[in-house]
Amino acid sequence: MRLVIARCSVDYAGRLQAHLPLATRLLMVKGDGSLLVHSDGGSYKPLNWMSPPCTLATSEPDDEQRAAGIVELWTVTHKKTADRLIVSIHEVLHDSAHELGIDPGLQKNGVEAHLQKLLAEQIELLGEGHRLVRREYMTAIGPVDILATDASGASVAVELKRRGDIDGVEQLTRYLELMNRDPLLAPVTGVFAAQEIKPQARTLAEDRGIRCLVLDYDAMRGVDDGDSRLF
Amino acid sequence: MRLVIARCSVDYAGRLQAHLPLATRLLMVKGDGSLLVHSDGGSYKPLNWMSPPCTLATSEPDDEQRAAGIVELWTVTHKKTADRLIVSIHEVLHDSAHELGIDPGLQKNGVEAHLQKLLAEQIELLGEGHRLVRREYMTAIGPVDILATDASGASVAVELKRRGDIDGVEQLTRYLELMNRDPLLAPVTGVFAAQEIKPQARTLAEDRGIRCLVLDYDAMRGVDDGDSRLF
DNA sequence: CCCTATATTTCGGTA
DNA sequence: TACCGAAGTATAGGG
């Protein structure tokens, strides 16, 4: 990995066109040739970048560019699309290279998957007498998060989200339409379960006869054996 | 901005829990205190990070940690949520600080906005005899991208996307339901226009009587006066 | 300030 | 490989 701090301007042309005026920034050249242009603020997203696979070529400025103060040009070209990134360097303030090796990668411990597992284990949160049929119940248009039965034995389809948005209601609606055409399942009622349900989504859901269930993740995790704590 | 190359392991606890095994990585500390952990590959997303507002505290390892090879501990704490990032540093290979100043920021030149402008100018792409009523036609549930009339004078609502997905069809469906209740507008037909329309979205749209229109951005831009070319 | 929609999204899953 | 959904999404724009 090469790290360069430079006064530069950047032009990108590809799916859109963008320009960064002259300023001091970090240019990070990764081992795969990809380039990240970072400022000293914002979030983890660079101001501009080129994703791999791509190649970086450096060149000398022509007379006009040299007169404008440019001392070096970097052209990063994507190998598949026609995307191009041009870095016009006016001054190099730092330049260092480092051998990092390949990274073992990130190990994650679930969010929505965990929520689904917990709700399956605590299925009576849906109401007394509910029984789990199965998680990820497969239909022609995709898997329903949880299929259960209520106290009367009728089918209940559960759509699970961390944040309950209109999209999730639409998704569950499509599942319900389809499943209610199946005589072996019908009648199927719907439950929209999420840690947080947006007012718009709740309105739409209830308008369609879908029950909304707000889940308390911490409480559910508290009931759990509590294995996966790091600290 | 401070740049540190170090052999380290990282633990994150917040909305999820994640762990990075010991390896050599770049630690980027931005002026606002935020931290990015980058490997020498992947895309622009860091392996792990902490977004501002947050604070970084360094501390000495205890005896047990020192025995495990840790020479320094960084604890990054988010100021609003309880998110925490702990960097266990085993070896520092590089450490430098740089003054960057505030960045003037990125200047973008349209994507969907441009597509909307182009289609409004070339409204007959919808079909012969079509006339533009207006862009961003406001309804109670949001703006319709383009409202037009067909050769017979009937209303046409256009939903525009770069990539035509099911979401867009659902969105247009909601607009059409609403607009068809307005006697001044009804009957309103729908056109789902995008650079690329997913098969699932097309099926859903046509099933609902919505016409699909694939737009050739380059061709439309070619018809345009062609002002906004960078190279 | 909250909500909504987009993204040069990226990333992981499965068919 | 391609498509689809989720993300510790981030970010911009409107009410």
Side-chain angles (χ1 to χ4, degrees), chain B residues 22-76:
Chain B
L22 186 61
T24 305
R25 305 187 174 95
L26 165 67
L27 306 171
M28 188 194 311
V29 186
K30 291 198 173 187
D32 52 15
S34 59
L35 176 73
L36 279 61
V37 182
H38 267 282
S39 66
D40 200 8
S43 61
Y44 68 66
K45 194 176 180 181
L47 293 166
N48 226 324
W49 71 94
M50 184 63 77
S51 306
C54 62
T55 47
L56 188 155
T58 62
S59 59
E60 293 294 310
D62 61 32
D63 291 343
E64 193 184 342
Q65 291 165 333
R66 195 182 305 277
I70 298 172
V71 297
E72 193 176 342
L73 279 167
W74 289 10
T75 306
V76 190

Side-chain angles (χ1 to χ4, degrees), chain B residues 19-201:
Chain B
H19 173 73
L20 280 172
L22 186 61
T24 305
R25 305 187 174 95
L26 165 67
L27 306 171
M28 188 194 311
V29 186
K30 291 198 173 187
D32 52 15
S34 59
L35 176 73
L36 279 61
V37 182
H38 267 282
S39 66
D40 200 8
S43 61
Y44 68 66
K45 194 176 180 181
L47 293 166
N48 226 324
W49 71 94
M50 184 63 77
S51 306
C54 62
T55 47
L56 188 155
T58 62
S59 59
E60 293 294 310
D62 61 32
D63 291 343
E64 193 184 342
Q65 291 165 333
R66 195 182 305 277
I70 298 172
V71 297
E72 193 176 342
L73 279 167
W74 289 10
T75 306
V76 190
T77 318
H78 198 271
K79 276 177 180 159
K80 294 188 173 179
T81 67
D83 292 27
R84 243 186 327 175
L85 196 66
I86 296 181
V87 184
S88 305
I89 296 177
H90 288 242
E91 188 185 1
V92 174
L93 303 166
H94 172 95
D95 191 343
S96 62
H98 312 273
E99 200 57 50
L100 267 60
I102 57 165
D103 202 281
L106 187 68
Q107 297 163 12
K108 282 189 184 183
N109 276 28
V111 200
E112 185 178 315
H114 195 201
L115 208 58
Q116 187 188 109
K117 180 169 166 286
L118 288 170
L119 182 57
E121 288 166 3
Q122 304 169 34
I123 197 70
E124 293 226 342
L125 285 174
L126 292 177
E128 218 180 307
H130 280 70
R131 293 275 174 274
L132 176 70
V133 176
R134 62 167 303 173
R135 292 162 57 184
E136 303 286 349
Y137 178 85
M138 206 57 200
T139 75
I141 54 171
V144 175
D145 289 335
I146 287 181
L147 185 65
T149 53
D150 64 18
S152 75
S155 296
V156 180
V158 183
E159 176 64 34
L160 205 62
K161 293 283 177 215
R162 197 170 64 77
R163 281 175 33 182
D165 230 326
I166 276 187
D167 289 0
V169 181
E170 299 286 10
Q171 194 180 337
L172 178 54
T173 304
R174 289 196 294 276
Y175 287 136
L176 288 172
E177 273 178 35
L178 189 79
M179 296 170 83
N180 271 311
R181 284 187 220 149
D182 183 345
L184 291 176
L185 284 172
V188 187
T189 58
V191 174
F192 189 52
Q195 275 187 273
E196 172 203 354
I197 295 182
K198 296 282 171 67
Q200 281 199 346

Side-chain angles (χ1 to χ4, degrees), chain A residues 12 15-16 18 45 47-49 51 138 198 200:
Chain A
Y12 165 77
R15 271 171 265 192
L16 59 75
K45 195 176 180 179
L47 293 165
N48 224 323
W49 71 94
S51 307
M138 206 58 201
K198 295 282 173 68
Q200 279 199 347

